[in-house]
Amino acid sequence: MDSRHSTPARTRELRESVVIAAPPEEVFAAISDVRLMPRWSPECVGVRVLAGRGGPRPVFVGFNRNGFRRWFTLCRVTRSDAPREFAFRVSIAGLPLAAWGFLLRPADGEGPAGAAGSTELVQYWHDLRRGGRGRIADLLGRVAAGTSPEARVRTNRSGMATTLRRVKEAVEGAPGEKFIPSQAPSPPPHTIR
C-alpha cells in the first residue's frame, strides 16, 4: 500500500500522569468520589448519583459542557480497588463511548517530586466506539459535544492534563489547607450528595 494514501490510525487510548506529594489513600479518596468530578474535569460540570446506586461502584449521570454545547452521559463505576485503581465506563443513549480510569502507585523517591508518601497518579482513556454502533456514537459526539474523533483525542488529552493538575493542587494544598474529601466544598446545586 502506498503510504501517501493510507489513513492514519485512530487514537483509541491516552495516558497522562503526575506525581502528587500525598499517599495513595489520600489521592484515591479524592478521585473516587464521583461527586467531585466537576472540581477536577474541565468538561464535567455536574454529577448526579442515581438513587439507590451509590456505594463503592455507583451509577451516575455526568453533565458536560464544551462551549455552548451541553450533554449528559450515563457512567457506571467498573473498578474501585482502593488505593490502586478507580475506573468507570461512559455511554450515551445506550452506546458505549469510553472507559476512564485512574491508576495509583507509591512514587516514593522517584524524581524530584517523589518524596516519601508520594503517589504517581495515571489517568487513562480508552475509546470504546467501534463498528456500526461506534459510528452512531461518533455522530452523536459531533452533534452533542461538537467534536470529531480526532478533536475528541485533543480535547481529552488537554482535559486530562488539567484534571491531574487540579487533583494535585487540591490534594497537596497550601500549608494548612490540605484537601480532605469529607470537607470538600459542596457540589453544584444540581449534584446530589
Side-chain angles (χ1 to χ4, degrees):
M1 175 185 256
D2 185 344
S3 64
R4 291 176 295 169
H5 301 295
S6 63
T7 304
R10 179 171 171 170
T11 302
R12 294 200 177 269
E13 294 187 14
L14 293 174
R15 283 181 179 252
E16 295 289 331
S17 66
V18 68
V19 174
I20 299 174
E25 294 78 12
E26 286 182 32
V27 177
F28 186 86
I31 56 97
S32 64
D33 185 344
V34 298
R35 299 166 303 165
L36 296 176
M37 200 66 63
R39 182 173 181 177
W40 317 134
S41 169
E43 197 168 68
C44 179
V45 296
V47 167
R48 176 168 282 183
V49 176
L50 298 182
R53 305 300 292 251
R57 295 192 183 197
V59 174
F60 61 98
V61 177
F63 297 91
N64 306 290
R65 180 186 66 226
N66 182 8
F68 68 89
R69 290 181 158 89
R70 296 179 185 276
W71 70 98
F72 64 91
T73 55
L74 182 65
C75 306
R76 180 178 306 277
V77 173
T78 56
R79 188 156 180 90
S80 185
D81 182 17
R84 291 179 285 280
E85 184 176 9
F86 183 78
F88 55 95
R89 290 176 66 101
V90 178
S91 64
I92 190 166
L95 301 168
L97 295 180
W100 284 93
F102 295 92
L103 299 169
L104 302 88
R105 70 177 185 91
D108 296 343
E110 289 188 15
S118 292
T119 302
E120 179 185 24
L121 178 62
V122 176
Q123 186 178 23
Y124 62 85
W125 167 78
H126 298 281
D127 187 347
L128 301 178
R129 297 167 295 172
R130 305 263 195 296
R133 291 170 49 96
R135 285 189 291 281
I136 294 169
D138 283 344
L139 178 62
L140 284 173
R142 287 177 194 272
V143 172
T147 55
S148 66
E150 298 78 21
R152 175 52 41 201
V153 170
R154 289 189 303 274
T155 298
N156 287 352
R157 183 174 280 124
S158 172
M160 291 164 77
T162 299
T163 295
L164 293 173
R165 177 182 49 78
R166 288 176 177 175
V167 171
K168 178 180 175 69
E169 289 171 355
V171 173
E172 288 180 353
E177 295 179 16
K178 190 116 174 124
F179 175 79
I180 302 170
S182 63
Q183 296 175 359
S186 297
H190 60 279
T191 302
I192 294 179
R193 296 189 128 210

